[in-house]
Amino acid sequence: MVRMSPHRTLLLLLSLTAVWSPALGSKPKGLSDSHPRVRLTHRPAGQEHKGRELHYFALQGLGEPIRMMLEYVGVAYDSVMYFNTKEYKAIAPFGQMPLYKDETLESYLAQSGTILRHLARETGMAGNSVHEMARVDMISECAKDILQKRSNVKEFNPSNKEPLTKDAEKLQMFLEKAAALNPESKKYFVGEKATLADIMMLHALDSVQQVAKINDFDLLKALDFSGLSAFVTTWKAEPTLAVYYESDRRVPMTEKEAGMNDKYTYLSELPDSYAEHKEEL
């Protein structure tokens, strides 16, 4: 048995740490990377924090429409993003994310739909009548259907624009239904002001456009959904959302979300702020 001096043992341990630990200040390349959670703060001028926090993976996913709502209405909040860790389970009612809390809630809210409807009611974006509320829910569900088929953008023939698979046919059908729900291409799908339906549809259609860009095939333009395309352009130009899309709080899409493979590897590099982390929950 070879004995090592304490000094040599320490040097060996330090070298192993350097090999196996993520570099200090390094940015994750994907969700599976070992990396502490990141807390990004949004403090619009004149807005109190009021304890608002959104906890979710460092993905667009189910957390994106919640972030978009918080950003659109211009409230202060913390976006706490997780990578390859399960520490959120200690605070999650059902062991899952997203999670949301503010100073008015006794505990964390779970389930994305619950959080979105809570924020919609709190911010006046749920609809002005029972009828409007029902339409907001219906259009939001249509947006979810579009979102689930976004990766099927690549399953269209770019020459004749025909769908090549059943899933691509479904995506086209959902887009047709969405266009029919707003035949005059208005800014708002329901009523005369912004609702959850608009945020959900923006998220779904923008996701389709993100995948279309990757595949060099503008699906909305190719299938002549000019009204839906204009809707996205109009909403992305909203001042608070325009700031969000250019901020570090906006997470890049991953390869899995784009339908390229099963890896949550980011399609573009994370901002430098993701190399830092905060310890408090």
Side-chain angles (χ1 to χ4, degrees):
M1 178 177 179
V2 178
R3 293 194 175 187
M4 299 175 62
S5 68
H7 178 68
R8 287 179 61 84
T9 301
L10 178 60
L11 288 176
L12 177 61
L13 288 173
L14 288 173
S15 66
L16 288 174
T17 301
V19 171
W20 293 107
S21 298
L24 182 64
S26 64
K27 291 183 291 187
K29 291 182 171 56
L31 193 66
S32 62
D33 289 5
S34 295
H35 192 77
R37 64 180 176 270
V38 173
R39 181 182 294 264
L40 301 179
T41 62
H42 181 42
R43 299 291 184 271
Q47 289 290 322
E48 263 186 86
H49 181 211
K50 295 187 177 180
R52 291 187 185 91
E53 291 183 357
L54 173 64
H55 293 249
Y56 190 60
F57 299 107
L59 291 174
Q60 291 184 17
L62 296 174
E64 186 65 5
I66 303 172
R67 296 184 196 112
M68 290 168 64
M69 281 199 74
L70 292 167
E71 296 278 347
Y72 173 68
V73 298
V75 298
Y77 77 103
D78 288 0
S79 182
V80 185
M81 301 191 200
Y82 296 75
F83 295 88
N84 188 16
T85 174
K86 303 290 185 184
E87 58 190 327
Y88 61 85
K89 289 185 177 292
I91 59 173
F94 307 129
Q96 298 172 316
M97 293 192 292
L99 301 167
Y100 174 78
K101 77 168 185 176
D102 61 36
E103 64 180 10
T104 70
L105 298 169
E106 295 180 357
S107 60
Y108 284 93
L109 276 185
Q111 304 292 347
S112 58
T114 300
I115 297 167
L116 284 166
R117 288 189 293 272
H118 167 73
L119 291 174
R121 290 188 292 266
E122 186 179 55
T123 58
M125 295 178 66
N128 286 336
S129 66
V130 173
H131 174 69
E132 282 195 3
M133 290 176 187
R135 283 190 62 80
V136 167
D137 283 346
M138 179 179 72
I139 293 165
S140 296
E141 292 301 317
C142 176
K144 288 181 185 178
D145 289 333
I146 293 171
L147 192 63
Q148 289 176 354
K149 299 298 181 186
R150 64 187 166 192
S151 64
N152 301 112
V153 168
K154 62 182 180 293
E155 295 166 5
F156 282 80
N157 186 325
S159 299
N160 61 19
K161 307 168 188 176
E162 291 295 320
L164 301 174
T165 66
K166 290 291 185 183
D167 282 331
E169 287 179 7
K170 288 182 179 178
L171 173 57
Q172 183 171 353
M173 183 266 289
F174 291 141
L175 290 170
E176 289 170 353
K177 300 302 182 185
L181 288 167
N182 189 9
E184 298 178 15
S185 302
K186 293 181 178 180
K187 180 178 181 180
Y188 308 123
F189 267 79
V190 180
E192 300 300 323
K193 67 176 186 176
T195 66
L196 172 59
D198 299 312
I199 297 296
M200 292 296 290
M201 194 59 72
L202 172 61
H203 173 45
L205 296 175
D206 178 56
S207 295
V208 167
Q209 288 192 328
Q210 288 182 72
V211 177
K213 185 176 181 180
I214 294 165
N215 290 277
D216 196 25
F217 179 61
D218 189 338
L219 182 67
L220 297 185
K221 182 179 179 179
L223 299 183
D224 198 26
F225 289 120
S226 57
L228 296 180
S229 183
F231 173 84
V232 175
T233 301
T234 298
W235 269 92
K236 290 187 75 171
E238 278 289 313
T240 52
L241 288 176
V243 169
Y244 169 61
Y245 285 122
E246 296 298 321
S247 75
D248 59 356
R249 300 179 301 281
R250 166 75 163 177
V251 189
M253 185 174 274
T254 62
E255 292 177 359
K256 182 177 176 67
E257 290 173 298
M260 299 168 65
N261 53 52
D262 288 329
K263 296 180 179 179
Y264 285 109
T265 303
Y266 299 113
L267 291 172
S268 58
E269 188 175 327
L270 289 174
D272 290 342
S273 52
Y274 286 75
E276 306 164 2
H277 66 278
K278 309 278 186 182
E279 293 300 330
E280 66 273 8
L281 265 177

